[in-house]
Amino acid sequence: DWGPSYYTKLAMSAAGGRASDVAAMHLSRLAGYAPGGLVDAFDLDLLAEYGVTSEDFAPAVWSRTQYEGTVYAIPLDVHPFIVFYDKKAAEQAGLLDTSGELAPMGSPEALLEAGRALAEATGEAGILFGHVTDTAQTWRLFAGLYAQTGAGFDLPDGGPPRIDTDAAVRVVTLMTQLFDGRTNPNNLDYNGAMAAFTNGRGGMAMLGEWELPTLKKSRIDLGAAPFPQVFDKPAVYTDSHSFVLPHQDSPDPARRREAHRYVAQILKQSLTWASAGHIPAYQPVLAEPEYAALDPQSSYADAAKVAVLDPPNWFAGAGSNFQNRMCQPLQSALLGNTTPEKAVRQMVREADTLLRQPNPVA
């Protein structure tokens, strides 16, 4: 299991000082491990011997690899929350540019109009989004749109949270307008949205790029793009599978060197990983002609340049209780059970409650 059970095992093995040589971690979880000494620092000089330096990564992602100026994680990929679309429906809806790619939208109104145009083109739903009972989906959608407003979502230790409630209400209001239960369904679960899209009952789906292998098995003429910018600032919600060195009390120097060599070699071979939909974090792979030929992967590669992760706090990140607690009021708003204003107030309360809890591994 990739979520809480995995991260509990990783923390326990590191706390015991006898962990594996290398482990995988979502970069958004680093703030819960580095401060407590559960992961060891990388030797950047040693990595450079094997041809990997900080200049090989997009600054938006590399900036999250550090704690107090020391690098504790090396990104393998960037995996953003994006849009997949039916090219035929999008063309009929007038949403493609001259090169056949999804054209920029630029405003909330344009996104709403895109949903209406896609619904008319398909004769069914416009934009599909599965969120009911899901512990991450509505947070991914909210967090990306909120980052586009330029507002900060800061969770300082001890609280209170610093959240622009006006910007948050704007975002939740747009979410409820977009998924109105008419043009675009508001009550789908994850599997329901996937099934509807793969069976041609919608023109666009908001999903993580990790669903690409499943979607390519469908009969859709599949296109993909970074999540559309509709507010003032380009931003795409994302995370990153990264390599870490779980803490060892007495690491063997030869094995630690081999761990660095292993990480470097896998990064250089990450074109294979890209076939599953993930954007290679190692920039030289992105520059290869073989990556440019990947369709539709290369269409959303620019998402890595404007990547936005969860706030760097010990309780946040992929598979966390924080995401679950943010999703509950957001889901309630989409289902029409509460107002955007009340949903945002509950999100602030939930964040404040978590901030008052001590970090168990600090």
Side-chain angles (χ1 to χ4, degrees):
D1 291 340
W2 73 271
S5 61
Y6 172 76
Y7 283 110
T8 298
K9 292 176 181 178
L10 180 59
M12 293 300 291
S13 66
R18 293 179 291 122
S20 59
D21 292 303
V22 181
M25 174 184 285
H26 288 87
L27 195 55
S28 62
R29 297 295 295 253
L30 186 64
Y33 287 74
L38 296 178
V39 289
D40 293 337
F42 275 90
D43 184 332
L44 297 188
D45 291 334
L46 189 51
L47 273 178
E49 287 184 30
Y50 296 116
V52 174
T53 69
S54 61
E55 287 74 27
D56 293 323
F57 301 87
V61 178
W62 185 256
S63 65
R64 291 293 299 269
T65 65
Q66 301 161 56
Y67 171 67
E68 294 186 343
T70 300
V71 173
Y72 288 92
I74 304 296
L76 170 63
D77 66 31
V78 180
H79 52 278
F81 188 73
I82 65 170
V83 292
F84 290 100
Y85 57 91
D86 183 324
K87 288 184 178 180
K88 294 178 182 177
E91 181 179 20
Q92 187 176 341
L95 299 179
L96 302 185
D97 61 20
T98 55
S99 64
E101 301 289 337
L102 191 68
M105 294 188 185
S107 70
E109 293 74 24
L111 180 59
L112 296 172
E113 178 53 37
R116 290 190 286 266
L118 286 168
E120 184 175 346
T122 63
E124 297 199 49
I127 300 174
L128 298 165
F129 175 63
H131 69 94
V132 175
T133 72
D134 193 274
T135 58
Q137 278 286 87
T138 48
W139 168 251
R140 292 167 180 150
L141 178 57
F142 169 86
L145 288 169
Y146 181 85
Q148 290 185 7
T149 70
F153 197 106
D154 301 316
L155 302 176
D157 289 340
R162 294 196 289 266
I163 301 168
D164 186 329
T165 55
D166 290 338
V169 169
R170 284 176 63 203
V171 169
V172 180
T173 299
L174 173 59
M175 290 169 62
T176 60
Q177 292 170 338
L178 184 62
F179 298 104
D180 57 2
R182 296 183 297 277
T183 302
N184 309 313
N186 67 338
N187 61 350
L188 296 177
D189 64 14
Y190 194 97
N191 291 331
M194 283 284 290
F197 185 61
T198 55
N199 287 308
R201 301 199 304 272
M204 179 181 287
M206 294 178 171
L207 292 163
E209 48 72 25
W210 52 87
E211 296 295 354
L212 179 62
T214 299
L215 297 180
K216 292 193 80 167
K217 295 176 184 177
S218 71
R219 298 178 181 178
I220 297 171
D221 187 4
L222 189 66
F227 197 92
Q229 180 186 345
V230 298
F231 290 113
D232 297 335
K233 179 181 177 182
V236 176
Y237 178 76
T238 189
D239 211 325
S240 167
H241 295 113
S242 301
F243 291 114
V244 293
L245 304 173
H247 175 66
Q248 295 180 355
D249 287 340
S250 301
D252 177 82
R255 292 181 68 92
R256 188 51 61 93
R257 170 175 280 272
E258 186 68 7
H260 283 70
R261 187 188 73 85
Y262 166 80
V263 169
Q265 290 298 319
I266 294 296
L267 291 178
K268 293 176 182 179
Q269 298 177 55
S270 55
L271 185 66
T272 302
W273 193 229
S275 67
H278 308 303
I279 304 171
Y282 186 64
Q283 300 289 289
V285 172
L286 288 179
E288 295 177 4
E290 292 85 352
Y291 183 79
L294 291 178
D295 181 28
Q297 289 93 317
S298 58
S299 298
Y300 54 81
D302 284 349
K305 298 177 183 178
V306 291
V308 174
L309 282 71
D310 273 17
N313 197 285
W314 68 268
F315 55 72
S320 66
N321 188 38
F322 167 75
Q323 290 191 353
N324 183 30
R325 291 172 76 159
M326 293 297 103
C327 280
Q328 291 172 15
L330 289 169
Q331 175 180 288
S332 185
L334 285 189
L335 292 174
N337 297 329
T338 192
T339 65
E341 291 80 7
K342 289 181 179 179
V344 168
R345 286 199 294 270
Q346 185 178 344
M347 292 171 70
V348 173
R349 287 195 299 269
E350 295 287 354
D352 189 53
T353 297
L354 288 168
L355 283 169
R356 295 178 187 279
Q357 298 176 3
N359 184 344
V361 296

XYZ file of all heavy atoms in Angstrom, residues 228-260:
269
model
N -5.237 23.811 -17.049
C -5.356 25.155 -17.633
C -5.179 26.269 -16.603
O -5.683 26.189 -15.487
C -6.781 25.163 -18.199
C -7.134 23.723 -18.390
C -6.438 22.994 -17.286
N -4.463 27.308 -17.015
C -4.366 28.501 -16.177
C -5.616 29.331 -16.375
O -5.918 29.771 -17.477
C -3.139 29.329 -16.547
C -3.012 30.595 -15.695
C -1.886 31.501 -16.139
O -1.010 31.092 -16.904
N -1.905 32.741 -15.660
N -6.341 29.572 -15.286
C -7.569 30.370 -15.378
C -7.533 31.596 -14.456
O -8.373 32.482 -14.578
C -8.822 29.521 -15.074
C -8.953 28.401 -16.089
C -8.792 28.965 -13.658
N -6.551 31.629 -13.532
C -6.366 32.818 -12.704
C -5.067 33.509 -13.116
O -4.568 33.283 -14.216
C -6.376 32.438 -11.222
C -7.735 32.016 -10.712
C -7.972 30.706 -10.307
C -8.784 32.924 -10.641
C -9.229 30.316 -9.847
C -10.044 32.547 -10.182
C -10.257 31.236 -9.788
N -4.508 34.347 -12.283
C -3.442 35.264 -12.691
C -2.063 34.629 -12.864
O -1.228 35.169 -13.578
C -3.319 36.399 -11.665
C -4.581 37.249 -11.597
O -5.315 37.284 -12.600
O -4.837 37.853 -10.536
N -1.808 33.504 -12.212
C -0.449 32.964 -12.148
C -0.413 31.533 -12.675
O -1.252 30.715 -12.294
C 0.029 32.997 -10.685
C 1.416 32.451 -10.450
C 1.754 32.508 -8.960
C 3.119 31.884 -8.673
N 3.423 31.899 -7.229
N 0.544 31.191 -13.543
C 0.647 29.794 -13.979
C 1.066 28.895 -12.820
O 2.034 29.180 -12.107
C 1.720 29.829 -15.073
C 2.525 31.047 -14.776
C 1.578 32.044 -14.171
N 0.340 27.823 -12.590
C 0.635 26.882 -11.507
C -0.109 25.587 -11.778
O -1.247 25.602 -12.239
C 0.215 27.456 -10.143
N 0.559 24.480 -11.505
C -0.052 23.159 -11.662
C 0.238 22.365 -10.392
O 1.395 22.243 -9.981
C 0.506 22.410 -12.889
C -0.087 21.004 -12.970
C 0.216 23.175 -14.179
N -0.798 21.838 -9.767
C -0.598 21.029 -8.560
C 0.111 19.732 -8.933
O -0.257 19.069 -9.913
C -1.924 20.705 -7.884
C -1.733 19.839 -6.664
C -1.250 20.385 -5.483
C -1.977 18.468 -6.711
C -1.034 19.591 -4.363
C -1.761 17.672 -5.602
C -1.292 18.240 -4.427
O -1.063 17.445 -3.335
N 1.105 19.376 -8.154
C 1.889 18.199 -8.492
C 2.536 17.600 -7.253
O 2.421 18.117 -6.146
C 2.976 18.564 -9.524
O 3.596 17.394 -10.013
C 4.038 19.442 -8.897
N 3.213 16.503 -7.483
C 4.077 15.892 -6.480
C 5.231 15.262 -7.232
O 5.329 15.380 -8.460
C 3.326 14.860 -5.628
C 3.882 14.785 -4.202
O 5.108 14.935 -4.027
O 3.093 14.569 -3.266
N 6.112 14.605 -6.514
C 7.293 14.029 -7.143
C 7.708 12.769 -6.400
O 7.917 12.807 -5.185
C 8.444 15.044 -7.114
O 9.678 14.429 -7.435
N 7.794 11.651 -7.120
C 8.427 10.469 -6.541
C 9.923 10.743 -6.472
O 10.538 11.089 -7.487
C 8.184 9.236 -7.414
C 6.745 8.828 -7.492
N 6.013 8.911 -8.651
C 5.901 8.326 -6.554
C 4.778 8.477 -8.435
N 4.681 8.129 -7.175
N 10.480 10.623 -5.302
C 11.886 10.970 -5.103
C 12.620 9.855 -4.373
O 12.011 9.034 -3.682
C 11.994 12.267 -4.290
O 11.349 13.327 -4.945
N 13.924 9.852 -4.546
C 14.771 8.905 -3.816
C 15.256 9.557 -2.527
O 15.646 10.727 -2.515
C 15.979 8.496 -4.650
C 15.636 7.638 -5.834
C 15.821 8.101 -7.124
C 15.123 6.357 -5.658
C 15.514 7.308 -8.220
C 14.808 5.558 -6.751
C 14.998 6.044 -8.033
N 15.233 8.802 -1.448
C 15.794 9.240 -0.176
C 16.699 8.145 0.364
O 16.629 6.988 -0.062
C 14.700 9.581 0.863
C 13.905 10.804 0.430
C 13.782 8.389 1.107
N 17.546 8.540 1.314
C 18.430 7.612 2.008
C 17.906 7.461 3.431
O 18.190 8.307 4.288
C 19.862 8.153 2.024
C 20.485 8.494 0.662
C 21.842 9.167 0.846
C 20.605 7.244 -0.200
N 17.099 6.432 3.704
C 16.583 6.251 5.067
C 17.746 6.178 6.070
O 18.813 5.627 5.766
C 15.822 4.923 4.983
C 15.509 4.749 3.533
C 16.653 5.360 2.801
N 17.531 6.730 7.240
C 18.618 6.836 8.214
C 19.172 5.471 8.599
O 18.437 4.517 8.893
C 18.136 7.534 9.477
C 19.174 7.563 10.553
N 20.348 8.262 10.439
C 19.228 6.929 11.762
C 21.072 8.082 11.523
N 20.420 7.281 12.344
N 20.492 5.407 8.590
C 21.217 4.243 9.109
C 22.203 4.730 10.159
O 22.898 5.733 9.952
C 21.962 3.519 7.987
C 21.052 2.903 6.932
C 21.834 2.184 5.840
O 23.052 2.213 5.819
N 21.114 1.544 4.928
N 22.267 4.027 11.273
C 23.165 4.456 12.352
C 24.621 4.398 11.929
O 25.422 5.274 12.267
C 22.949 3.580 13.591
C 21.635 3.889 14.292
O 21.090 4.989 14.064
O 21.151 3.021 15.046
N 24.986 3.354 11.187
C 26.382 3.173 10.766
C 26.430 2.765 9.298
O 26.662 1.594 8.964
C 27.080 2.116 11.633
O 27.064 2.479 12.989
N 26.159 3.687 8.399
C 26.136 3.328 6.976
C 27.510 2.891 6.485
O 28.530 3.493 6.836
C 25.683 4.626 6.296
C 26.045 5.715 7.244
C 25.889 5.120 8.610
N 27.516 1.844 5.692
C 28.750 1.364 5.099
C 29.133 2.303 3.947
O 28.324 2.527 3.047
C 28.552 -0.053 4.567
C 29.789 -0.577 3.875
O 30.694 -1.054 4.558
O 29.837 -0.490 2.625
N 30.341 2.866 3.955
C 30.715 3.848 2.920
C 30.589 3.302 1.502
O 30.158 4.022 0.599
C 32.167 4.187 3.267
C 32.284 3.913 4.733
C 31.395 2.731 4.985
N 30.949 2.043 1.297
C 30.874 1.469 -0.049
C 29.426 1.324 -0.496
O 29.081 1.611 -1.646
C 31.583 0.114 -0.077
N 28.552 0.907 0.422
C 27.134 0.768 0.080
C 26.492 2.143 -0.129
O 25.634 2.311 -1.000
C 26.389 -0.001 1.161
C 26.781 -1.468 1.266
C 25.986 -2.188 2.348
N 24.577 -2.300 1.968
C 24.060 -3.346 1.320
N 24.838 -4.346 0.952
N 22.771 -3.390 1.026
N 26.899 3.120 0.657
C 26.356 4.470 0.489
C 26.785 5.055 -0.864
O 25.999 5.710 -1.546
C 26.814 5.348 1.652
C 26.217 6.732 1.760
C 24.711 6.802 1.692
N 23.935 6.112 2.687
C 23.479 6.633 3.821
N 23.805 7.857 4.163
N 22.706 5.919 4.616
N 28.017 4.781 -1.267
C 28.468 5.215 -2.598
C 27.644 4.513 -3.675
O 27.230 5.138 -4.652
C 29.959 4.909 -2.772
C 30.468 5.089 -4.207
C 31.961 4.889 -4.297
N 32.656 6.093 -3.856
C 32.968 7.121 -4.649
N 32.605 7.099 -5.925
N 33.616 8.153 -4.186
N 27.415 3.228 -3.488
C 26.626 2.479 -4.472
C 25.190 3.002 -4.540
O 24.584 3.018 -5.619
C 26.637 0.989 -4.114
C 25.978 0.084 -5.135
C 26.724 0.002 -6.454
O 27.845 0.553 -6.553
O 26.181 -0.608 -7.399
N 24.649 3.454 -3.424
C 23.305 4.024 -3.417
C 23.254 5.284 -4.280
O 22.295 5.501 -5.033
C 22.871 4.345 -1.993
N 24.275 6.120 -4.182
C 24.335 7.318 -5.017
C 24.461 6.949 -6.493
O 23.823 7.570 -7.357
C 25.517 8.193 -4.593
C 25.286 8.976 -3.340
N 25.202 8.375 -2.091
C 25.108 10.317 -3.116
C 25.001 9.304 -1.170
N 24.942 10.494 -1.775
